[in-house]
Amino acid sequence: RAVVRELDRIKEQREQELVSGVIPPQETDPTDFKRRFLKKIRKLGEGNFGMVELCLYDPNGDQTGELVAAKSLKSENESNNLRREINTIRNLFHENIVKYKGICNEEGGMNIKLIMEYLPAGSLKDYLPRNKSTINQKRLLLYALQICQGMEYLGSQNYIHRDLAARNVLVENESLVKIGDFGLTKSIKEDKDYYTVTEEQDSPVYWYAPECLISRKFYKASDVWSFGVTLYELMTYCDRERSPPQIFIKMIGRSHGQMTMARLVYALEEGRRMPCPQSCPEMVYSLMRRCWSHAPDDRMHFKDLIKEFEFLLS
Ligand code: ADP
Ligand code: MG
């Protein structure tokens, strides 16, 4: 009896506190972003499948909310891809991987948005050409090291990124970059160390290793190849005139449609590779070349690359 009375008293007290606003009414799920409070500010960028917008999430409606980046898909039938991306990114916690904040479900889950932290400086592809004069080569190597650290973590969680490129690395500030865009990331089953690609359209072919182009197999080592191409981009400050597609097209000649893939594969199998970028140290170019070994097993591992960059930076 005394206990019941005590419980009633506590309940009464809590109700008092609730109405007086001492306790916020009902704890809400911080990863559930309500559509009605999400205000679009401007478009941040778009890739092959998605579109990313800068939004203000302002549940109090007084402009005190937080800035977030909201990713949605250009076409509705890609929604499973975005769901998969959300399931990947929500499980990743690393300093060099973009932070997941939550999801925004509209109209009964038809039009889902991925909400992530907003990185004002954008991707390396936007940032490097603009800030070339203030970024020295050592800084570029620091970015390379951080990308490797993020990739090493991703691999340790048994994921293959499959779309590593400067356009998918975001800049937090002048000394911190983070891997973003997990749209093509696949989780590998314990018994398989590759993933077979089925969708072919819009592939970033010039970042792909030969085995991806030839037999559509993706290994962790295929990410290492793409890292080599990303390192090439870094060392050119993402100069559009010297972008990997530009360099490869110069190498294999301009062609139409299907022929591009065949010519690219032929050139790679012949052992042709992008040349050392102007003013890139031989030591750094030799790392690229060790990412571009034809056989996946012969390529460097992210662990070794981390050691090499740490050494170059020491
Ligand atoms: P897609 O899957 O379509 O390639 P991304 O996730 O790569 O989409 O985003 C496209 C572009 O949007 C990026 O290249 C970058 O410029 C910009 N962007 C993406 N996420 C963010 C973010 N969190 N903060 C700032 N800009 C971003
Ligand atoms: Mg992208």
Side-chain angles (χ1 to χ4, degrees):
R1 275 214 145 193
V3 174
V4 173
R5 226 177 302 135
E6 178 68 359
L7 281 175
D8 279 344
R9 200 185 60 74
I10 290 171
K11 210 173 128 204
E12 215 168 283
Q13 191 184 332
R14 204 187 132 80
E15 268 157 16
Q16 281 278 299
E17 285 171 343
L18 257 176
V19 284
S20 62
V22 178
I23 296 174
Q26 206 170 28
E27 282 304 332
T28 50
D29 176 0
T31 67
D32 178 18
F33 286 73
K34 300 274 184 280
R35 180 71 194 89
R36 62 185 184 281
F37 300 140
L38 197 66
K39 295 179 187 108
K40 176 187 167 176
I41 296 174
R42 66 184 164 86
K43 187 162 147 183
L44 287 171
E46 71 185 290
N48 292 328
F49 313 107
M51 207 244 293
V52 180
E53 291 174 340
L54 171 62
C55 294
L56 180 69
Y57 189 67
D58 197 25
N60 295 327
D62 58 0
Q63 315 291 314
T64 59
E66 60 171 336
L67 291 173
V68 296
K71 181 167 183 174
S72 52
L73 291 164
K74 291 204 269 195
S75 105
E76 295 272 314
N77 53 17
E78 297 283 351
S79 78
N80 279 335
N81 281 339
L82 188 60
R83 271 170 216 284
R84 190 169 49 215
E85 178 167 2
I86 290 168
N87 278 326
T88 306
I89 193 177
R90 75 195 304 174
N91 292 313
L92 300 174
F93 304 96
H94 191 273
E95 133 122 299
N96 302 115
I97 288 181
V98 68
K99 273 200 203 80
Y100 164 85
K101 280 184 170 289
I103 53 176
C104 174
N105 252 318
E106 297 171 79
E107 290 100 47
M110 276 301 285
N111 221 336
I112 192 165
K113 280 183 164 70
L114 159 63
I115 310 294
M116 58 188 148
E117 62 175 331
Y118 165 54
L119 277 70
S123 79
L124 276 177
K125 213 177 158 187
D126 310 316
Y127 180 81
L128 286 182
R130 268 205 313 260
N131 297 280
K132 209 176 152 168
S133 61
T134 60
I135 299 166
N136 60 21
Q137 231 165 38
K138 211 158 179 170
R139 227 352 102 80
L140 298 176
L141 296 180
L142 177 68
Y143 299 159
L145 169 64
Q146 293 176 348
I147 296 167
C148 288
Q149 284 166 333
M151 290 305 295
E152 168 63 20
Y153 169 78
L154 196 66
S156 75
Q157 304 299 300
N158 278 315
Y159 285 110
I160 300 178
H161 190 286
R162 305 202 318 157
D163 199 13
L164 182 57
R167 62 181 174 276
N168 292 327
V169 178
L170 302 170
V171 180
E172 164 94 38
N173 59 50
E174 76 243 15
S175 49
L176 180 60
V177 298
K178 297 182 175 193
I179 300 165
D181 193 359
F182 292 89
L184 291 176
T185 304
K186 299 285 153 76
S187 167
I188 32 178
K189 304 249 165 61
E190 302 289 7
D191 57 334
K192 277 200 290 187
D193 64 347
Y194 66 84
Y195 182 84
T196 307
V197 200
T198 47
E199 67 273 5
E200 213 156 2
Q201 74 284 12
D202 300 316
S203 299
V205 291
Y206 300 105
W207 279 257
Y208 276 4
E211 69 275 9
C212 314
L213 300 169
I214 298 164
S215 48
R216 302 174 176 188
K217 282 179 175 173
F218 272 88
Y219 307 88
K220 285 186 191 181
S222 317
D223 273 345
V224 172
W225 178 290
S226 303
F227 170 75
V229 182
T230 307
L231 180 57
Y232 179 95
E233 293 184 276
L234 275 173
M235 300 316 289
T236 61
Y237 290 87
C238 293
D239 176 3
R240 269 151 231 272
E241 303 298 303
R242 292 185 288 162
S243 70
Q246 291 287 332
I247 301 290
F248 276 115
I249 287 165
K250 232 173 264 163
M251 188 192 294
I252 64 179
R254 213 167 265 288
S255 62
H256 300 282
Q258 284 297 319
M259 283 305 290
T260 309
M261 273 272 266
R263 288 202 210 190
L264 178 60
V265 168
Y266 184 73
L268 294 175
E269 289 202 309
E270 267 196 316
R272 302 190 66 186
R273 298 291 184 266
M274 290 194 286
C276 182
Q278 199 194 340
S279 75
C280 167
E282 261 317 311
M283 290 261 274
V284 177
Y285 183 59
S286 92
L287 294 180
M288 281 178 217
R289 296 299 299 240
R290 288 160 71 197
C291 294
W292 297 335
S293 297
H294 191 276
D297 287 345
D298 294 344
R299 291 175 207 152
M300 293 188 80
H301 291 220
F302 284 114
K303 252 196 192 80
D304 312 320
L305 285 160
I306 289 171
K307 285 198 198 114
E308 296 282 349
F309 288 118
E310 279 172 347
F311 171 75
L312 289 173
L313 285 162
S314 65

